[in-house]
Amino acid sequence: MYGLLKLMNAGLTENDQGSDGWVPVVLSADLPVAGVMRAQIDATQPLDLVVWRSRSGQVSAFDNRCPHRGMRLSFGFVRGERLSCIYHGWQYGEDGACRHIPAHPDMTPPASIGANTYLCREYDGVIWISQNADNPPDLPTFGGQGLRSLSVNRDEADLRKLLAETCIPLSGAGETAPAEASIIAENQTSLVLESTTEAASLQLMIHFQKVTPGKTMLHIQTNPDLPVDLRISLSRWAERFRWSAENMGTMVNSWDASAGEMRP
Amino acid sequence: MTISDVARNDWYPVAIENLLIEGQPETVVLMGETLTILRAADDQIKVTAADGSECPLTLRYGHVWSSIGRPEHALFDIPEAAEEGRRMVDCGPVRVKASPLRVVENFLDIAHFPFVHTDILGAEPHTEVEPYKVEIRDTVDEVWATKVRFFQPQAAKSAEEGQMTDYMYRVPAPCVSILYKTSPPRPGAWDVIGLFVRPISEELCDAYAWMALYDEDSNQTDLVQFQQMIFLQDRSILENQIPRLLPLDPKMEIPTRADTTSVAYRRWLKRKGMTYGAQLVAR
Ligand code: FES
Ligand SMILES: [Fe+2]
């Protein structure tokens, strides 16, 4: 997988997230058909976006602002292949062009009316966004399965450091102690955490989205076909990781599984 | 920020008159200044500024009106308020995190009915806004929209089935809008609904709704609840428009023919120099 990550590096620019690079905003599984969501990206120009999936499964991203009267498009709804604004029902195609204005049903909207669009690609179980049209993503396949996304009130750089110190469970329901993990590959957007014992091996691929200053979203994938109880354990691990990162600023790796959630 | 004279020297609603209890002062904020409203033992109502000075006062349409400046004109007139047989209902205030001007503009808008007040004030596929007439009446310095027609599944509390409803809109002051609509029990007459807005800041306000209806049957609570339900649906929109301030730069937002009232309202505000709650240039 390390080789893959190096390849993946080649597909990304050196620039900050949100300017030229590709930014992960949601796990594919969390944006179902006809789903509409808001995504924020902290960049030189902070971005407030709407990301939506059409009936046929196509994903698109626009500025989260309807050009008509400024309503947040993330409150809108999907009709077929169009996103409809909740205020007056103006409909936008996946290219951002306004296709229908309900107040004037017989009029073809002028081509000049449209939402501001971003590049939006679904790749290997994650939806990515970029502002730069010249630089399509060239990402390798991890073939992972989405675990969950998690918002953490810490900077991305801190989280990367803390992840290097974390232990992750290798089995469900606390059957075995969590094992030490190490970062085996890393690039501007993502890292792979691996934990291997004689009995088992596990990889987590974690994609970082800078949301607002001091707030980071982690989009976590695992290697495929893990048993359900292990997925549950990993999801709890993610919550403990967040708690440690937000409250301790250092990794707390030991816990008593029977005591349940480790929270103040 | 400095508040323009047009904004300062106008009347704004500060309380509902019959909710003021003798000897119990109420405080409200009007454009950043705290005002105290008191019904004294002699039943006289007084509005005082933070420095103790007395503020202008008008009691009309069930509300206490005041100002942080010196209004040079009397409060606008609503002749229908004096008509016999109308029920007056106060149903405010509702706090909205939006510019007071956005709140008024939304009140002038019918195209949102099928989407925001679904199955009540509008319903798909009846979304078309037919041409209507808008004018700035220079003699009275008011914006008027007339000959407005729209299909409504349940036009008012007393309406049972869908009908084409006629409307007129009147903007007698920047933070006030009055709507006239077909009265379901009396098709020849107009029900009157006023929206009186008090700016707390440029991006926060209290909106008071006031109705003068021909409706003898509905009970008061139902009428208030109906109006509040409608307004809370509007609030969920108003608090999510970007920017919060009303853009007066025509390049910022894209109107169509259905938005003629909004275009006239914005132009009128700009001409008057009413910039409190407005954004002049795109930021
Ligand atoms: S604000 Fe989106 S359709 Fe009017
Ligand atoms: Fe409305």
Side-chain angles (χ1 to χ4, degrees), chain B residues 97-157:
Chain B
K97 282 191 225 108
S99 152
L101 307 178
R102 286 261 196 212
V103 176
V104 170
E105 183 179 73
N106 170 71
F107 194 76
L108 303 172
D109 181 83
I110 51 172
H112 72 280
F113 289 172
F115 302 97
V116 180
H117 310 298
T118 313
D119 296 336
I120 306 167
L121 299 185
E124 290 181 274
H126 309 280
T127 56
E128 178 158 17
V129 177
E130 293 165 15
Y132 55 90
K133 190 171 170 229
V134 178
E135 61 197 314
I136 296 175
R137 295 189 181 166
D138 285 321
T139 46
V140 283
D141 194 22
E142 294 185 354
V143 181
W144 277 82
T146 52
K147 300 193 165 66
V148 184
R149 279 167 67 75
F150 203 67
F151 177 87
Q152 295 205 337
Q154 187 196 357
K157 190 68 203 126

Short mmCIF file of all heavy atoms in Angstrom, two decimals, chain B residues 97-157:
data_model
loop_
_atom_site.label_atom_id
_atom_site.label_comp_id
_atom_site.label_asym_id
_atom_site.label_seq_id
_atom_site.Cartn_x
_atom_site.Cartn_y
_atom_site.Cartn_z
N LYS B 97 -32.94 36.32 13.36
CA LYS B 97 -31.53 36.67 13.14
C LYS B 97 -31.33 37.00 11.67
O LYS B 97 -30.81 36.19 10.90
CB LYS B 97 -30.63 35.49 13.53
CG LYS B 97 -30.43 35.35 15.02
CD LYS B 97 -29.32 34.35 15.31
CE LYS B 97 -29.74 33.41 16.42
NZ LYS B 97 -30.04 32.05 16.03
N ALA B 98 -31.80 38.15 11.27
CA ALA B 98 -31.66 38.58 9.88
C ALA B 98 -31.84 40.09 9.85
O ALA B 98 -32.33 40.68 10.81
CB ALA B 98 -32.73 37.91 9.01
N SER B 99 -31.47 40.68 8.74
CA SER B 99 -31.69 42.11 8.58
C SER B 99 -33.20 42.39 8.57
O SER B 99 -33.97 41.66 7.93
CB SER B 99 -31.08 42.56 7.26
OG SER B 99 -31.76 43.68 6.76
N PRO B 100 -33.64 43.47 9.22
CA PRO B 100 -35.06 43.82 9.18
C PRO B 100 -35.55 44.01 7.76
O PRO B 100 -36.72 43.73 7.45
CB PRO B 100 -35.13 45.14 9.96
CG PRO B 100 -33.71 45.62 10.11
CD PRO B 100 -32.84 44.41 10.02
N LEU B 101 -34.65 44.45 6.87
CA LEU B 101 -35.06 44.69 5.48
C LEU B 101 -35.29 43.37 4.74
O LEU B 101 -36.18 43.27 3.89
CB LEU B 101 -34.01 45.54 4.76
CG LEU B 101 -33.63 46.86 5.46
CD1 LEU B 101 -32.54 47.59 4.67
CD2 LEU B 101 -34.85 47.76 5.65
N ARG B 102 -34.49 42.35 5.07
CA ARG B 102 -34.73 41.01 4.49
C ARG B 102 -36.10 40.50 4.94
O ARG B 102 -36.81 39.85 4.17
CB ARG B 102 -33.65 40.03 4.96
CG ARG B 102 -32.27 40.19 4.33
CD ARG B 102 -32.07 39.20 3.20
NE ARG B 102 -30.69 39.02 2.78
CZ ARG B 102 -30.34 38.74 1.53
NH1 ARG B 102 -31.25 38.60 0.59
NH2 ARG B 102 -29.08 38.56 1.22
N VAL B 103 -36.44 40.79 6.19
CA VAL B 103 -37.73 40.31 6.73
C VAL B 103 -38.88 40.96 5.98
O VAL B 103 -39.85 40.30 5.58
CB VAL B 103 -37.81 40.58 8.25
CG1 VAL B 103 -39.17 40.18 8.79
CG2 VAL B 103 -36.70 39.83 8.99
N VAL B 104 -38.77 42.26 5.74
CA VAL B 104 -39.83 42.95 5.00
C VAL B 104 -39.88 42.44 3.55
O VAL B 104 -40.95 42.15 3.02
CB VAL B 104 -39.62 44.49 5.03
CG1 VAL B 104 -40.55 45.19 4.06
CG2 VAL B 104 -39.83 45.00 6.45
N GLU B 105 -38.73 42.29 2.93
CA GLU B 105 -38.71 41.83 1.54
C GLU B 105 -39.35 40.46 1.40
O GLU B 105 -40.11 40.21 0.46
CB GLU B 105 -37.27 41.79 1.02
CG GLU B 105 -37.23 41.38 -0.44
CD GLU B 105 -35.82 41.35 -0.99
OE1 GLU B 105 -35.08 40.41 -0.63
OE2 GLU B 105 -35.46 42.23 -1.78
N ASN B 106 -39.07 39.57 2.35
CA ASN B 106 -39.67 38.25 2.30
C ASN B 106 -41.19 38.32 2.41
O ASN B 106 -41.92 37.55 1.79
CB ASN B 106 -39.11 37.39 3.45
CG ASN B 106 -39.85 36.08 3.61
OD1 ASN B 106 -39.73 35.19 2.78
ND2 ASN B 106 -40.66 35.96 4.65
N PHE B 107 -41.68 39.29 3.19
CA PHE B 107 -43.12 39.45 3.37
C PHE B 107 -43.79 39.90 2.07
O PHE B 107 -44.97 39.65 1.85
CB PHE B 107 -43.36 40.47 4.50
CG PHE B 107 -44.77 40.49 5.03
CD1 PHE B 107 -45.22 39.49 5.87
CD2 PHE B 107 -45.63 41.54 4.71
CE1 PHE B 107 -46.52 39.52 6.37
CE2 PHE B 107 -46.93 41.57 5.21
CZ PHE B 107 -47.37 40.56 6.04
N LEU B 108 -43.01 40.55 1.20
CA LEU B 108 -43.54 41.05 -0.07
C LEU B 108 -43.50 40.00 -1.18
O LEU B 108 -43.87 40.26 -2.31
CB LEU B 108 -42.69 42.25 -0.55
CG LEU B 108 -42.58 43.44 0.39
CD1 LEU B 108 -41.56 44.43 -0.15
CD2 LEU B 108 -43.94 44.10 0.54
N ASP B 109 -43.01 38.83 -0.85
CA ASP B 109 -42.70 37.81 -1.86
C ASP B 109 -43.77 36.73 -1.88
O ASP B 109 -44.11 36.19 -0.83
CB ASP B 109 -41.33 37.22 -1.49
CG ASP B 109 -40.86 36.16 -2.46
OD1 ASP B 109 -40.29 36.53 -3.50
OD2 ASP B 109 -41.05 34.96 -2.17
N ILE B 110 -44.28 36.41 -3.07
CA ILE B 110 -45.26 35.33 -3.13
C ILE B 110 -44.68 34.05 -3.74
O ILE B 110 -45.17 32.97 -3.49
CB ILE B 110 -46.53 35.72 -3.92
CG1 ILE B 110 -46.13 36.29 -5.28
CG2 ILE B 110 -47.37 36.69 -3.16
CD1 ILE B 110 -47.31 36.53 -6.18
N ALA B 111 -43.60 34.20 -4.54
CA ALA B 111 -43.07 33.06 -5.28
C ALA B 111 -42.61 31.93 -4.37
O ALA B 111 -42.47 30.78 -4.80
CB ALA B 111 -41.93 33.50 -6.20
N HIS B 112 -42.36 32.24 -3.08
CA HIS B 112 -41.87 31.19 -2.18
C HIS B 112 -43.00 30.37 -1.56
O HIS B 112 -42.75 29.35 -0.93
CB HIS B 112 -40.99 31.79 -1.07
CG HIS B 112 -41.73 32.58 -0.02
ND1 HIS B 112 -42.14 33.87 -0.19
CD2 HIS B 112 -42.11 32.25 1.23
CE1 HIS B 112 -42.74 34.30 0.91
NE2 HIS B 112 -42.75 33.34 1.79
N PHE B 113 -44.25 30.79 -1.72
CA PHE B 113 -45.35 30.12 -1.04
C PHE B 113 -45.38 28.59 -1.24
O PHE B 113 -45.49 27.85 -0.28
CB PHE B 113 -46.70 30.72 -1.46
CG PHE B 113 -46.96 32.11 -0.92
CD1 PHE B 113 -48.07 32.84 -1.35
CD2 PHE B 113 -46.13 32.69 0.03
CE1 PHE B 113 -48.34 34.11 -0.86
CE2 PHE B 113 -46.38 33.97 0.53
CZ PHE B 113 -47.49 34.68 0.07
N PRO B 114 -45.27 28.10 -2.50
CA PRO B 114 -45.38 26.64 -2.67
C PRO B 114 -44.23 25.87 -2.02
O PRO B 114 -44.38 24.68 -1.72
CB PRO B 114 -45.32 26.45 -4.19
CG PRO B 114 -45.59 27.78 -4.78
CD PRO B 114 -45.13 28.79 -3.79
N PHE B 115 -43.10 26.53 -1.79
CA PHE B 115 -41.92 25.82 -1.29
C PHE B 115 -41.72 25.98 0.21
O PHE B 115 -41.24 25.07 0.88
CB PHE B 115 -40.67 26.28 -2.07
CG PHE B 115 -40.83 26.05 -3.54
CD1 PHE B 115 -41.25 27.05 -4.38
CD2 PHE B 115 -40.63 24.77 -4.06
CE1 PHE B 115 -41.45 26.82 -5.74
CE2 PHE B 115 -40.83 24.52 -5.41
CZ PHE B 115 -41.24 25.55 -6.25
N VAL B 116 -42.09 27.14 0.72
CA VAL B 116 -41.85 27.40 2.15
C VAL B 116 -43.13 27.17 2.96
O VAL B 116 -43.08 26.68 4.09
CB VAL B 116 -41.30 28.83 2.36
CG1 VAL B 116 -41.05 29.11 3.83
CG2 VAL B 116 -40.01 29.02 1.55
N HIS B 117 -44.29 27.52 2.38
CA HIS B 117 -45.56 27.33 3.08
C HIS B 117 -46.37 26.27 2.33
O HIS B 117 -47.54 26.48 2.00
CB HIS B 117 -46.32 28.65 3.16
CG HIS B 117 -45.50 29.79 3.67
ND1 HIS B 117 -44.95 29.79 4.93
CD2 HIS B 117 -45.10 30.95 3.09
CE1 HIS B 117 -44.26 30.92 5.11
NE2 HIS B 117 -44.33 31.64 4.00
N THR B 118 -45.70 25.14 2.08
CA THR B 118 -46.26 24.10 1.23
C THR B 118 -47.63 23.62 1.74
O THR B 118 -47.79 23.32 2.92
CB THR B 118 -45.29 22.90 1.19
OG1 THR B 118 -43.98 23.40 0.95
CG2 THR B 118 -45.66 21.91 0.11
N ASP B 119 -48.59 23.58 0.82
CA ASP B 119 -49.96 23.13 1.07
C ASP B 119 -50.75 24.07 1.97
O ASP B 119 -51.86 23.75 2.40
CB ASP B 119 -50.00 21.71 1.67
CG ASP B 119 -49.45 20.69 0.67
OD1 ASP B 119 -49.48 20.98 -0.54
OD2 ASP B 119 -48.99 19.62 1.11
N ILE B 120 -50.20 25.22 2.29
CA ILE B 120 -50.96 26.19 3.08
C ILE B 120 -51.18 27.44 2.23
O ILE B 120 -52.30 27.74 1.83
CB ILE B 120 -50.21 26.56 4.38
CG1 ILE B 120 -49.86 25.28 5.17
CG2 ILE B 120 -51.09 27.47 5.23
CD1 ILE B 120 -48.88 25.50 6.27
N LEU B 121 -50.08 28.14 1.93
CA LEU B 121 -50.21 29.35 1.11
C LEU B 121 -49.90 29.08 -0.36
O LEU B 121 -50.08 29.96 -1.21
CB LEU B 121 -49.28 30.44 1.64
CG LEU B 121 -49.53 30.92 3.07
CD1 LEU B 121 -48.61 32.08 3.41
CD2 LEU B 121 -50.97 31.33 3.28
N GLY B 122 -49.39 27.87 -0.66
CA GLY B 122 -49.09 27.55 -2.05
C GLY B 122 -48.83 26.08 -2.18
O GLY B 122 -48.59 25.40 -1.18
N ALA B 123 -48.91 25.57 -3.42
CA ALA B 123 -48.62 24.16 -3.63
C ALA B 123 -48.25 23.96 -5.08
O ALA B 123 -48.82 24.58 -5.97
CB ALA B 123 -49.83 23.30 -3.28
N GLU B 124 -47.25 23.11 -5.31
CA GLU B 124 -46.94 22.75 -6.68
C GLU B 124 -48.12 21.95 -7.23
O GLU B 124 -48.80 21.28 -6.48
CB GLU B 124 -45.66 21.90 -6.70
CG GLU B 124 -44.42 22.72 -6.34
CD GLU B 124 -43.16 21.87 -6.39
OE1 GLU B 124 -42.86 21.23 -5.37
OE2 GLU B 124 -42.52 21.85 -7.44
N PRO B 125 -48.41 21.99 -8.51
CA PRO B 125 -47.68 22.69 -9.58
C PRO B 125 -48.11 24.15 -9.77
O PRO B 125 -47.72 24.75 -10.77
CB PRO B 125 -48.04 21.87 -10.81
CG PRO B 125 -49.45 21.43 -10.54
CD PRO B 125 -49.57 21.24 -9.05
N HIS B 126 -48.85 24.72 -8.82
CA HIS B 126 -49.34 26.10 -9.02
C HIS B 126 -48.28 27.10 -8.59
O HIS B 126 -48.43 27.78 -7.57
CB HIS B 126 -50.62 26.31 -8.22
CG HIS B 126 -51.66 25.25 -8.45
ND1 HIS B 126 -52.47 25.25 -9.56
CD2 HIS B 126 -51.97 24.14 -7.75
CE1 HIS B 126 -53.27 24.20 -9.52
NE2 HIS B 126 -52.97 23.49 -8.43
N THR B 127 -47.19 27.19 -9.34
CA THR B 127 -46.05 28.01 -8.91
C THR B 127 -45.93 29.31 -9.70
O THR B 127 -45.11 30.15 -9.35
CB THR B 127 -44.74 27.21 -9.10
OG1 THR B 127 -44.66 26.80 -10.48
CG2 THR B 127 -44.70 25.98 -8.22
N GLU B 128 -46.73 29.44 -10.75
CA GLU B 128 -46.54 30.59 -11.64
C GLU B 128 -46.94 31.91 -10.97
O GLU B 128 -47.97 31.99 -10.31
CB GLU B 128 -47.35 30.41 -12.92
CG GLU B 128 -47.21 31.59 -13.84
CD GLU B 128 -47.54 31.27 -15.28
OE1 GLU B 128 -48.19 30.22 -15.54
OE2 GLU B 128 -47.15 32.08 -16.15
N VAL B 129 -46.09 32.91 -11.14
CA VAL B 129 -46.43 34.25 -10.68
C VAL B 129 -46.79 35.06 -11.92
O VAL B 129 -45.94 35.34 -12.77
CB VAL B 129 -45.26 34.91 -9.93
CG1 VAL B 129 -45.62 36.34 -9.52
CG2 VAL B 129 -44.88 34.08 -8.70
N GLU B 130 -48.08 35.41 -12.05
CA GLU B 130 -48.52 36.18 -13.21
C GLU B 130 -48.03 37.62 -13.08
O GLU B 130 -47.76 38.07 -11.97
CB GLU B 130 -50.06 36.16 -13.28
CG GLU B 130 -50.61 34.77 -13.57
CD GLU B 130 -52.11 34.68 -13.28
OE1 GLU B 130 -52.76 35.74 -13.14
OE2 GLU B 130 -52.61 33.55 -13.20
N PRO B 131 -47.90 38.32 -14.21
CA PRO B 131 -47.45 39.72 -14.12
C PRO B 131 -48.37 40.52 -13.20
O PRO B 131 -49.58 40.28 -13.17
CB PRO B 131 -47.56 40.22 -15.56
CG PRO B 131 -47.57 38.98 -16.40
CD PRO B 131 -48.19 37.90 -15.58
N TYR B 132 -47.80 41.41 -12.44
CA TYR B 132 -48.59 42.29 -11.58
C TYR B 132 -48.01 43.69 -11.68
O TYR B 132 -47.04 43.91 -12.42
CB TYR B 132 -48.59 41.78 -10.13
CG TYR B 132 -47.22 41.57 -9.53
CD1 TYR B 132 -46.57 42.59 -8.85
CD2 TYR B 132 -46.57 40.33 -9.64
CE1 TYR B 132 -45.31 42.40 -8.29
CE2 TYR B 132 -45.31 40.14 -9.10
CZ TYR B 132 -44.68 41.17 -8.43
OH TYR B 132 -43.44 40.99 -7.89
N LYS B 133 -48.62 44.62 -10.96
CA LYS B 133 -48.24 46.02 -11.15
C LYS B 133 -47.50 46.54 -9.91
O LYS B 133 -47.97 46.36 -8.79
CB LYS B 133 -49.52 46.83 -11.38
CG LYS B 133 -49.23 48.22 -11.82
CD LYS B 133 -50.52 48.94 -12.26
CE LYS B 133 -50.19 50.41 -12.44
NZ LYS B 133 -51.12 51.30 -11.79
N VAL B 134 -46.37 47.17 -10.12
CA VAL B 134 -45.61 47.73 -9.00
C VAL B 134 -45.32 49.19 -9.29
O VAL B 134 -44.98 49.56 -10.40
CB VAL B 134 -44.27 47.00 -8.79
CG1 VAL B 134 -43.48 47.64 -7.66
CG2 VAL B 134 -44.50 45.54 -8.49
N GLU B 135 -45.50 50.03 -8.28
CA GLU B 135 -45.15 51.44 -8.46
C GLU B 135 -44.62 52.03 -7.17
O GLU B 135 -44.98 51.58 -6.08
CB GLU B 135 -46.37 52.23 -8.95
CG GLU B 135 -47.52 52.18 -7.97
CD GLU B 135 -48.85 52.59 -8.58
OE1 GLU B 135 -48.87 53.61 -9.28
OE2 GLU B 135 -49.85 51.91 -8.32
N ILE B 136 -43.75 53.02 -7.33
CA ILE B 136 -43.35 53.82 -6.18
C ILE B 136 -44.23 55.06 -6.26
O ILE B 136 -44.14 55.83 -7.22
CB ILE B 136 -41.85 54.18 -6.24
CG1 ILE B 136 -41.02 52.89 -6.15
CG2 ILE B 136 -41.49 55.13 -5.10
CD1 ILE B 136 -39.52 53.09 -6.32
N ARG B 137 -45.15 55.19 -5.30
CA ARG B 137 -46.08 56.34 -5.34
C ARG B 137 -45.40 57.54 -4.71
O ARG B 137 -45.28 57.63 -3.48
CB ARG B 137 -47.37 55.99 -4.61
CG ARG B 137 -48.13 54.88 -5.32
CD ARG B 137 -49.51 54.64 -4.77
NE ARG B 137 -50.15 53.54 -5.51
CZ ARG B 137 -51.24 52.91 -5.11
NH1 ARG B 137 -51.83 53.27 -3.98
NH2 ARG B 137 -51.73 51.92 -5.84
N ASP B 138 -44.93 58.44 -5.56
CA ASP B 138 -44.12 59.55 -5.09
C ASP B 138 -44.87 60.49 -4.15
O ASP B 138 -44.29 61.01 -3.21
CB ASP B 138 -43.56 60.34 -6.28
CG ASP B 138 -42.41 59.56 -6.94
OD1 ASP B 138 -41.62 58.95 -6.18
OD2 ASP B 138 -42.32 59.55 -8.18
N THR B 139 -46.16 60.68 -4.41
CA THR B 139 -46.91 61.63 -3.57
C THR B 139 -46.92 61.19 -2.11
O THR B 139 -46.83 62.01 -1.21
CB THR B 139 -48.37 61.76 -4.06
OG1 THR B 139 -48.86 60.43 -4.29
CG2 THR B 139 -48.44 62.59 -5.32
N VAL B 140 -47.01 59.87 -1.89
CA VAL B 140 -47.05 59.38 -0.50
C VAL B 140 -45.72 58.75 -0.10
O VAL B 140 -45.54 58.37 1.05
CB VAL B 140 -48.19 58.36 -0.30
CG1 VAL B 140 -49.52 59.09 -0.20
CG2 VAL B 140 -48.21 57.33 -1.41
N ASP B 141 -44.79 58.63 -1.04
CA ASP B 141 -43.50 57.99 -0.79
C ASP B 141 -43.68 56.56 -0.26
O ASP B 141 -43.18 56.20 0.81
CB ASP B 141 -42.66 58.83 0.18
CG ASP B 141 -41.20 58.38 0.20
OD1 ASP B 141 -40.77 57.76 -0.79
OD2 ASP B 141 -40.52 58.64 1.21
N GLU B 142 -44.44 55.76 -1.01
CA GLU B 142 -44.68 54.38 -0.61
C GLU B 142 -44.49 53.46 -1.82
O GLU B 142 -44.68 53.88 -2.96
CB GLU B 142 -46.12 54.21 -0.09
CG GLU B 142 -46.39 54.96 1.18
CD GLU B 142 -47.78 54.69 1.73
OE1 GLU B 142 -48.58 53.99 1.07
OE2 GLU B 142 -48.06 55.18 2.85
N VAL B 143 -44.15 52.20 -1.55
CA VAL B 143 -44.10 51.20 -2.61
C VAL B 143 -45.43 50.44 -2.58
O VAL B 143 -45.89 50.02 -1.52
CB VAL B 143 -42.94 50.21 -2.40
CG1 VAL B 143 -42.89 49.18 -3.53
CG2 VAL B 143 -41.61 50.94 -2.27
N TRP B 144 -46.02 50.26 -3.76
CA TRP B 144 -47.27 49.51 -3.87
C TRP B 144 -47.16 48.43 -4.94
O TRP B 144 -46.64 48.67 -6.02
CB TRP B 144 -48.43 50.44 -4.26
CG TRP B 144 -49.03 51.17 -3.08
CD1 TRP B 144 -48.55 52.30 -2.50
CD2 TRP B 144 -50.23 50.81 -2.38
NE1 TRP B 144 -49.37 52.67 -1.47
CE2 TRP B 144 -50.41 51.78 -1.37
CE3 TRP B 144 -51.16 49.78 -2.50
CZ2 TRP B 144 -51.49 51.73 -0.48
CZ3 TRP B 144 -52.24 49.73 -1.63
CH2 TRP B 144 -52.39 50.70 -0.62
N ALA B 145 -47.65 47.24 -4.62
CA ALA B 145 -47.80 46.19 -5.63
C ALA B 145 -49.27 45.83 -5.68
O ALA B 145 -49.87 45.53 -4.65
CB ALA B 145 -46.96 44.97 -5.26
N THR B 146 -49.85 45.88 -6.88
CA THR B 146 -51.29 45.58 -7.00
C THR B 146 -51.51 44.54 -8.08
O THR B 146 -50.59 44.21 -8.83
CB THR B 146 -52.09 46.86 -7.34
OG1 THR B 146 -51.48 47.46 -8.48
CG2 THR B 146 -52.08 47.84 -6.19
N LYS B 147 -52.76 44.04 -8.16
CA LYS B 147 -53.13 43.02 -9.15
C LYS B 147 -52.26 41.77 -9.04
O LYS B 147 -51.89 41.14 -10.03
CB LYS B 147 -53.04 43.58 -10.57
CG LYS B 147 -53.96 44.77 -10.80
CD LYS B 147 -54.05 45.06 -12.30
CE LYS B 147 -55.18 45.98 -12.64
NZ LYS B 147 -55.03 47.34 -12.10
N VAL B 148 -51.90 41.44 -7.81
CA VAL B 148 -51.13 40.23 -7.57
C VAL B 148 -52.12 39.09 -7.36
O VAL B 148 -53.09 39.24 -6.61
CB VAL B 148 -50.24 40.39 -6.31
CG1 VAL B 148 -49.37 39.16 -6.12
CG2 VAL B 148 -49.39 41.65 -6.39
N ARG B 149 -51.91 37.97 -8.06
CA ARG B 149 -52.81 36.83 -7.93
C ARG B 149 -51.98 35.57 -7.74
O ARG B 149 -50.96 35.39 -8.38
CB ARG B 149 -53.65 36.65 -9.20
CG ARG B 149 -54.85 37.55 -9.29
CD ARG B 149 -55.40 37.51 -10.71
NE ARG B 149 -55.98 36.20 -11.08
CZ ARG B 149 -57.15 35.76 -10.63
NH1 ARG B 149 -57.88 36.50 -9.82
NH2 ARG B 149 -57.61 34.58 -11.00
N PHE B 150 -52.44 34.70 -6.85
CA PHE B 150 -51.69 33.46 -6.65
C PHE B 150 -52.63 32.38 -6.14
O PHE B 150 -53.56 32.65 -5.39
CB PHE B 150 -50.55 33.68 -5.65
CG PHE B 150 -49.43 32.69 -5.79
CD1 PHE B 150 -48.61 32.69 -6.91
CD2 PHE B 150 -49.19 31.75 -4.80
CE1 PHE B 150 -47.58 31.76 -7.05
CE2 PHE B 150 -48.16 30.82 -4.92
CZ PHE B 150 -47.35 30.83 -6.05
N PHE B 151 -52.34 31.14 -6.55
CA PHE B 151 -53.17 30.02 -6.10
C PHE B 151 -52.79 29.61 -4.69
O PHE B 151 -51.62 29.42 -4.39
CB PHE B 151 -53.02 28.82 -7.04
CG PHE B 151 -53.80 27.62 -6.58
CD1 PHE B 151 -55.14 27.47 -6.94
CD2 PHE B 151 -53.23 26.66 -5.75
CE1 PHE B 151 -55.87 26.38 -6.50
CE2 PHE B 151 -53.96 25.56 -5.31
CZ PHE B 151 -55.29 25.42 -5.69
N GLN B 152 -53.79 29.49 -3.84
CA GLN B 152 -53.52 29.07 -2.47
C GLN B 152 -54.41 27.91 -2.04
O GLN B 152 -55.61 27.96 -2.16
CB GLN B 152 -53.77 30.23 -1.50
CG GLN B 152 -52.81 31.35 -1.75
CD GLN B 152 -52.61 32.19 -0.53
OE1 GLN B 152 -53.45 32.24 0.35
NE2 GLN B 152 -51.49 32.86 -0.48
N PRO B 153 -53.77 26.83 -1.53
CA PRO B 153 -54.55 25.69 -1.07
C PRO B 153 -55.37 26.01 0.18
O PRO B 153 -56.46 25.54 0.36
CB PRO B 153 -53.50 24.63 -0.74
CG PRO B 153 -52.19 25.14 -1.23
CD PRO B 153 -52.32 26.61 -1.43
N GLN B 154 -54.81 26.83 1.09
CA GLN B 154 -55.55 27.22 2.29
C GLN B 154 -55.16 28.65 2.61
O GLN B 154 -54.21 28.90 3.35
CB GLN B 154 -55.20 26.30 3.47
CG GLN B 154 -56.08 26.56 4.68
CD GLN B 154 -55.53 25.96 5.98
OE1 GLN B 154 -54.52 25.29 6.00
NE2 GLN B 154 -56.21 26.24 7.07
N ALA B 155 -55.89 29.60 2.03
CA ALA B 155 -55.43 30.99 2.06
C ALA B 155 -55.41 31.60 3.45
O ALA B 155 -54.60 32.45 3.75
CB ALA B 155 -56.29 31.82 1.14
N ALA B 156 -56.31 31.19 4.30
CA ALA B 156 -56.36 31.76 5.65
C ALA B 156 -56.97 30.71 6.56
O ALA B 156 -57.42 29.66 6.11
CB ALA B 156 -57.19 33.03 5.67
N LYS B 157 -56.98 31.04 7.83
CA LYS B 157 -57.54 30.11 8.82
C LYS B 157 -58.97 29.73 8.43
O LYS B 157 -59.39 28.60 8.58
CB LYS B 157 -57.52 30.81 10.18
CG LYS B 157 -57.84 29.92 11.35
CD LYS B 157 -56.75 28.87 11.59
CE LYS B 157 -57.35 27.71 12.35
NZ LYS B 157 -57.17 26.43 11.77
#
